[in-house]
Amino acid sequence: MSQSAAIEIEGLRKTYRGSARAGPQEALKGIDLTIPAGSIFGLLGPNGAGKSTLINIMAGLVIKTSGKVRIWGFDQDVNPRQSRAAIGVMPQELNLDPFFTPRGALNVQAGLYGVPKSQRRTDEILEMIGLTDKADAYARSLSGGMQRRLLLGKALVHTPQILVLDEPTAGVDIELRKMLWTNVRKLNAQGMTIILTTHYLEEAQEMCDEIAIINHGSVVARDTTSALLGRIDARTMVIVPEGDVPASLTLPHGAKSHMREDGALAISFARKDVTPGAILEALRTGGVTIRDVATEEADLEDVFLELTRS
C-alpha cells in the first residue's frame, strides 16, 4: 500500500445472482480506485450506479465477487478485523434501536468494536454532535435530525481513520447541515479521511478535494475537483442590454443565445470555438447596447450530467 493511500481497490467486481428471468446482475465491473489519506473524497453517481455496493464492500458488509480491497493498509482477505476497525460508516438509512438512549447506543457500539470502557469517548462525541442534553432520552423520542446526528456519533465511537458519509444531508434542515459540515472539516483537520456520497452536487464541489464518478458499475472519471470542472469547456456570457435585443442578431458560429425571465441575454459557447471578444463584437455590430456583462463557469452538475449521460 502507498503510504499516502487510505483505501486501495483493484479489479473489484460484484455480481448478484439475480432472478431466473433477468439472470446475474453485475453491480461493479472491475473498479480500480485509490483514495488519498487525509482527503475529503467524493463518491458520486446516479441511483443504481454501484455506490452503495462499493461502500458496503469497503465496510465489510457485502462479500465481493473478486478483486482486492485494502483499508488503511489492511487487506480485507488477510486482516478482515483490522480493515473493518479502520473505517466508520454513517449510513443513509435510520437504523437505531428506539429503546436505546444516545448514551446507551454509543456505549453498545463501542463495545461491539472492543473499545474498553476507560477509552470510550461517549461524552465527547455527544457534545460534538449536539446531543448532550438528550443523552438519556430514548432514541424514539428524538427528531429525525437528532437521529441522524446519532448515526454520525455511532460511526465515530472506535476512532476510525476513515469515515464514510452516505448521503448524510438527505432531507435534513439547514442547521443540521451546517453542524455536520463543521464537524467534518474539524475531523478532517485532525487527519481523518472522509468519503462522501451525496446528490447535492454543490456540497461535493465545495467540500471535496477529489472526486470519483461511478456509472453502471464503472469509474467514469476520477480527478481533483478543479480538474473535473476544467473538463467542461462550456461558458455562458450573461448580457444585460439597454433596450430590446434585435431579433435579427447574428452571433458567431457555435454560440447560442436565449432570453432569461429577468430580461438578460444568456449566450452559451465553448472556448475552443468562440472567444468572448468575438461575441462582444457581434453584439456591437448588431446594435446591442450593453448595460452589464458577466460570465458563468460550468459547475459540477454540468460535469456529472456530461459523464453519466447514457
Side-chain angles (χ1 to χ4, degrees):
M1 170 180 165
S2 168
Q3 291 183 347
S4 61
I7 292 177
E8 286 186 315
I9 297 171
E10 300 173 6
L12 182 61
R13 295 181 179 275
K14 176 60 183 179
T15 302
Y16 292 101
R17 182 176 299 176
S19 64
R21 175 178 296 180
Q25 301 294 313
E26 194 172 21
L28 299 178
K29 305 174 182 178
I31 296 283
D32 293 316
L33 186 64
T34 299
I35 297 177
S39 66
I40 301 180
F41 192 93
L43 192 61
L44 309 181
N47 291 333
K51 303 188 303 297
S52 294
T53 298
L54 178 57
I55 288 172
N56 287 331
I57 290 174
M58 289 191 295
L61 301 175
V62 169
I63 299 174
K64 65 184 184 297
T65 301
S66 62
K68 288 287 185 182
V69 178
R70 286 183 286 274
I71 309 292
W72 209 249
F74 296 107
D75 190 314
Q76 279 190 339
D77 297 327
V78 180
N79 304 105
R81 187 170 181 176
Q82 291 90 333
S83 68
R84 289 184 187 182
I87 193 168
V89 179
M90 177 184 174
Q92 181 177 357
E93 299 81 12
L94 293 174
N95 56 359
L96 298 169
D97 189 316
F99 297 102
F100 272 98
T101 65
R103 188 188 305 280
L106 294 183
N107 281 326
V108 167
Q109 188 78 356
L112 292 174
Y113 276 99
V115 181
K117 289 185 179 180
S118 61
Q119 297 178 21
R120 294 179 187 174
R121 303 181 299 121
T122 302
D123 289 338
E124 177 188 337
I125 292 173
L126 285 169
E127 182 177 358
M128 185 189 75
I129 61 178
L131 290 180
T132 299
D133 60 338
K134 298 289 185 179
D136 298 310
Y138 286 123
R140 67 175 183 269
S141 70
L142 302 179
S143 67
M146 290 178 179
Q147 290 183 30
R148 296 202 69 79
R149 296 185 196 187
L150 184 52
L151 289 179
L152 174 61
K154 288 180 66 177
L156 295 171
V157 294
H158 58 298
T159 317
Q161 290 89 351
I162 302 163
L163 174 64
V164 179
L165 305 172
D166 189 5
E167 299 287 348
T169 58
V172 304
D173 58 33
I174 294 175
E175 180 183 356
L176 176 57
R177 190 171 296 181
K178 288 176 63 177
M179 183 277 295
L180 178 67
W181 294 137
T182 297
N183 285 331
V184 165
R185 288 191 171 98
K186 186 182 301 182
L187 292 167
N188 182 246
Q190 295 169 357
M192 187 176 289
T193 303
I194 310 293
I195 300 173
L196 167 68
T197 77
T198 180
H199 280 91
Y200 298 108
L201 298 183
E202 67 276 9
E203 288 184 347
Q205 185 170 332
E206 180 182 350
M207 294 291 298
C208 297
D209 308 310
E210 301 187 25
I211 289 172
I213 297 177
I214 296 178
N215 197 29
H216 300 304
S218 299
V219 176
V220 296
R222 185 247 185 263
D223 215 325
T224 63
T225 305
S226 58
L228 281 175
L229 292 173
R231 290 193 182 193
I232 298 294
D233 192 38
R235 295 291 183 273
T236 301
M237 181 178 291
V238 182
I239 305 296
V240 179
E242 289 280 7
D244 296 331
V245 175
S248 59
L249 178 67
T250 301
L251 294 172
H253 179 71
K256 298 180 180 179
S257 67
H258 72 276
M259 295 298 298
R260 293 182 172 176
E261 292 183 0
D262 61 2
L265 176 66
I267 303 172
S268 58
F269 62 99
R271 287 182 301 176
K272 63 182 178 61
D273 298 326
V274 183
T275 66
I279 293 174
L280 291 173
E281 178 61 24
L283 292 171
R284 187 190 65 79
T285 302
V288 177
T289 301
I290 299 174
R291 177 154 50 97
D292 195 13
V293 61
T295 57
E296 297 175 349
E297 303 288 326
D299 60 18
L300 189 56
E301 183 173 357
D302 298 318
V303 179
F304 182 85
L305 292 173
E306 181 72 21
L307 293 172
T308 58
R309 187 174 292 125
S310 298

